[in-house]
Amino acid sequence: MRDFADRLIAWQRHHGRHDLPWQGTRDPYHIWLSEIMLQQTQVDTVIPYYQRFLAHFPDVASLAAAPVEDVMALWSGLGYYARARNLHRAARTIIEAHGGAFPRSAAEIAGLPGIGRSTAAAIAAFAYGERAAILDGNVKRVLCRVFGVDGFTGEKAVESRLWALAESLLPEREVGRYIQAQMDLGATLCTRGKPACARCPFSEDCVARRENRIAELPTPRPKKVVPRRQARFAVITREDRVLLERRPPTGIWGGLLALPEIPDEVADVGAWTAERFGLACAAPQLLAPLTHAFTHFVLDIEPIRLHATANAAPHTLADEPTLLWQPLASAGDAALPTPVRRILDALQTPDLFSD
């Protein structure tokens, strides 16, 4: 299909997206931020986060100079928090290793923390007009359907075939518009469910449509049982504050503030609270359990509320800088994982408690 790029570019001019807040700029910082936020996240969800983030950190220098805790607080609720940590690391790398100037080639951009081959190519194409192919989820779906590519796209052989195909289709000119067109087609017409095939510029040539295989392509990930894990969290309150603990920088919710996790082996939660934090608490109360799905597992959460009546050893908390008493009224401004935010919201609804 030698006119693939020309047809796609022509379609984008008339039917693509043209009013997204990160469009119409060649600023690599703005483009980079949008590309990172759009990984695994819908456009409508990203827009307010993108705008707030730029209001606080308008350039690479301001982002690099900020404490990582401030970055995480602005990212809170967007999920996939490693993106925020890598964004901060990459900003500092740009300042320290590149003299504050954003790298100008896809190869150099891909050397920054948290930026892969496809994202680097998109940034280079939009910011500098570099002729580089991308292969995000939308592009994979379009190519698999239009050209009838079989096999799970996460397999190395299939991915290599798709990269070769993507590179062979690159136009000589208007690469930025072409990259945007690929994203737009996959996001608005060639969607996972109920694609609008009648309005697609490749409706007559699409292998998936011609062979009635739209639901089969791309080939789904091989099914596997998603493991479940259990965790108990201590919701320790004192007057109008709740005790939070900063998570380690790696692992789930890395670097975020969260409720202290109760070890599996603890049978007496009240005794554990007294020993761990030097706090005497009223009888524990169970908050309604909740479930949170991660990419590779599902977490069943049991929140246990303990209201502190006295502090037998005030030095205990002072000696641990990862612990802090967060006012409940301002909990929404803290860098909290979504399930923790839901638990703290439940504190305002007493009927959610059970004995």
Side-chain angles (χ1 to χ4, degrees):
M1 201 184 302
R2 295 186 177 183
D3 63 345
F4 180 86
D6 291 339
R7 288 160 65 179
L8 192 54
I9 289 171
W11 171 84
Q12 203 280 335
R13 280 200 183 94
H14 298 285
H15 305 290
R17 298 175 294 185
H18 301 277
D19 57 354
L20 299 176
W22 45 83
Q23 291 179 315
T25 180
R26 290 274 188 170
D27 187 326
Y29 173 69
H30 291 204
I31 295 166
W32 167 46
L33 177 61
S34 69
E35 289 297 319
I36 298 300
M37 285 189 166
L38 287 166
Q39 293 172 355
Q40 307 290 330
T41 311
Q42 296 293 322
V43 167
D44 290 345
T45 301
V46 164
I47 288 175
Y49 280 91
Y50 174 82
Q51 293 170 329
R52 284 196 298 269
F53 204 93
L54 277 184
H56 282 80
F57 307 123
D59 50 35
V60 171
S62 59
L63 174 58
V68 68
E69 293 80 11
D70 292 355
V71 178
M72 301 303 288
L74 279 175
W75 201 276
S76 179
L78 197 56
Y80 300 95
Y81 293 98
R83 295 182 296 174
R85 293 193 296 273
N86 283 329
L87 198 76
H88 188 250
R89 287 175 55 213
R92 293 193 166 180
T93 300
I94 291 170
I95 297 298
E96 296 165 5
H98 298 273
F102 203 94
R104 295 190 62 86
S105 71
E108 284 186 300
I109 295 170
L112 295 173
I115 301 182
R117 177 180 175 182
S118 184
T119 300
I123 296 168
F126 289 137
Y128 308 122
E130 181 173 338
R131 189 171 178 268
I134 70 165
L135 197 63
D136 66 3
N138 284 323
V139 175
K140 288 179 180 179
R141 187 166 56 253
V142 170
L143 295 183
C144 285
R145 285 175 175 170
V146 173
F147 295 94
V149 179
D150 288 293
F152 173 52
T153 59
E155 295 177 0
K156 186 172 180 59
V158 178
E159 187 176 44
S160 296
R161 182 182 174 191
L162 287 171
W163 270 117
L165 178 58
E167 290 175 339
S168 73
L169 296 170
L170 277 172
E172 294 295 332
R173 296 179 298 276
E174 295 191 89
V175 176
R177 184 181 292 276
Y178 172 73
I179 297 300
Q180 186 64 56
Q182 288 183 298
M183 296 175 174
D184 290 353
L185 187 69
T188 63
L189 296 187
C190 195
T191 53
R192 288 188 183 90
K194 298 182 180 179
C197 297
R199 294 190 283 127
C200 177
F202 307 109
S203 59
E204 300 301 320
D205 304 287
C206 179
V207 172
R209 189 183 191 211
R210 188 169 63 239
E211 297 180 0
N212 196 27
R213 300 177 62 205
I214 294 170
E216 300 174 17
L217 294 175
T219 303
R221 178 191 297 271
K223 289 186 177 181
K224 63 178 182 180
V225 177
V226 178
R228 300 188 77 95
R229 302 180 188 175
Q230 289 73 43
R232 294 179 297 168
F233 290 102
V235 188
I236 303 171
T237 57
R238 190 177 186 201
E239 297 177 345
D240 60 348
R241 297 172 182 264
V242 62
L243 185 65
L244 297 178
E245 183 173 25
R246 190 167 302 282
R247 303 278 296 191
T250 58
I252 65 168
W253 303 330
L256 297 184
L257 289 169
L259 298 165
E261 187 169 354
I262 304 169
D264 293 340
E265 64 273 14
V266 170
D268 188 334
V269 176
W272 171 80
T273 304
E275 180 180 355
R276 172 73 175 81
F277 304 110
L279 296 170
C281 297
Q285 292 178 295
L286 296 180
L287 195 63
L290 66 157
T291 298
H292 186 73
F294 292 89
T295 305
H296 302 297
F297 68 96
V298 174
L299 184 65
D300 294 317
I301 299 171
E302 182 182 72
I304 301 177
R305 188 190 190 192
L306 302 108
H307 187 71
T309 57
N311 189 343
H315 64 277
T316 304
L317 298 188
D319 290 345
E320 298 195 45
T322 59
L323 296 171
L324 65 88
W325 287 104
Q326 174 72 33
L328 283 168
S330 60
D333 299 328
L336 304 176
T338 298
V340 173
R341 196 177 300 277
R342 290 170 57 193
I343 292 169
L344 297 187
D345 287 344
L347 291 181
Q348 313 305 316
T349 313
D351 60 351
L352 292 180
F353 286 40
S354 58
D355 294 324

